[in-house]
Amino acid sequence: MKFQWKPPGAEQVWKALDKYKYVLILLAAGLLLLLWPVGGEEQARQSAPAAASEEFDVAALEEKLSQTLSQVEGAGRVTVTLAVKSGLEQVPLTDRSASVTERGNSVEEKTVVIDTGSGKEVVVRVRRAPVFQGAVVVCQGGDRAEVQLLLTRAVSALTGLGADRITVCKGSA
């Protein structure tokens, strides 16, 4: 007679594993997909120079906003003026190396630059959107409350400004 010791509850664990094996397989596959790296260094290198070459143009944004808001019913001709606190900010990627010398510790920081074939470009680590201080919207229908509300909401959605920083005024015909 052979004696086999089984830990208490082991049989119930095996039954539960057998019962939920497909669910556990799906969970494991989902976890594997979440941890799987997306894109590669090539994709990051290709997108970084494009981001670095973009510039923020307040006048172009004001013109585009004016054209868009002119299509709001009852607004009429619209002119938008934006006050910008800070423009588009691009923080370059840096490589930091530390070394210990006889005189003490030193940290050297270099900006990461890649060769694109047509020249060298700085790799951008972070792009921060422009920050606006306020907006003035002048339009023919600016004396009507419903037009003021629609234009204020639209400018707020596009710039991130609160309604207290957006003024809608009636302009001349």
Side-chain angles (χ1 to χ4, degrees), residues 89-154:
E89 184 181 355
Q90 298 179 349
V91 179
L93 181 65
T94 55
D95 183 22
R96 186 180 287 180
S97 60
S99 60
V100 179
T101 62
E102 291 177 6
R103 295 183 181 182
N105 298 339
S106 68
V107 177
E108 186 178 348
E109 197 169 292
K110 294 181 182 178
T111 302
V112 177
V113 178
I114 61 170
D115 188 5
T116 62
S118 62
K120 294 187 177 193
E121 294 191 30
V122 175
V123 177
V124 177
R125 178 176 61 106
V126 177
R127 287 182 52 219
R128 294 190 183 110
V131 178
F132 298 98
Q133 281 186 315
V136 175
V137 180
V138 179
C139 65
Q140 294 169 336
D143 58 341
R144 296 177 41 215
E146 63 272 9
V147 172
Q148 288 180 349
L149 179 62
L150 289 171
L151 296 181
T152 301
R153 284 183 177 174

Side-chain angles (χ1 to χ4, degrees), residues 17-118:
L17 284 176
D18 188 45
K19 183 177 179 181
Y20 296 108
K21 64 183 168 192
Y22 297 113
V23 173
L24 292 173
I25 290 171
L26 284 173
L27 285 173
L31 183 61
L32 181 65
L33 287 174
L34 283 173
L35 296 175
W36 195 273
V38 178
E41 287 183 34
E42 280 302 311
Q43 183 181 6
R45 287 183 181 171
Q46 289 173 357
S47 63
S53 65
E54 289 181 20
E55 291 186 23
F56 176 66
D57 185 7
V58 179
L61 180 60
E62 289 173 342
E63 181 61 32
K64 189 172 185 175
L65 267 172
S66 296
Q67 290 175 358
T68 303
L69 297 177
S70 293
Q71 297 178 17
V72 172
E73 187 176 339
R77 202 175 105 236
V78 177
T79 305
V80 177
T81 303
L82 296 171
V84 180
K85 189 174 189 176
S86 66
L88 180 68
E89 184 181 355
Q90 298 179 349
V91 179
L93 181 65
T94 55
D95 183 22
R96 186 180 287 180
S97 60
S99 60
V100 179
T101 62
E102 291 177 6
R103 295 183 181 182
N105 298 339
S106 68
V107 177
E108 186 178 348
E109 197 169 292
K110 294 181 182 178
T111 302
V112 177
V113 178
I114 61 170
D115 188 5
T116 62
S118 62

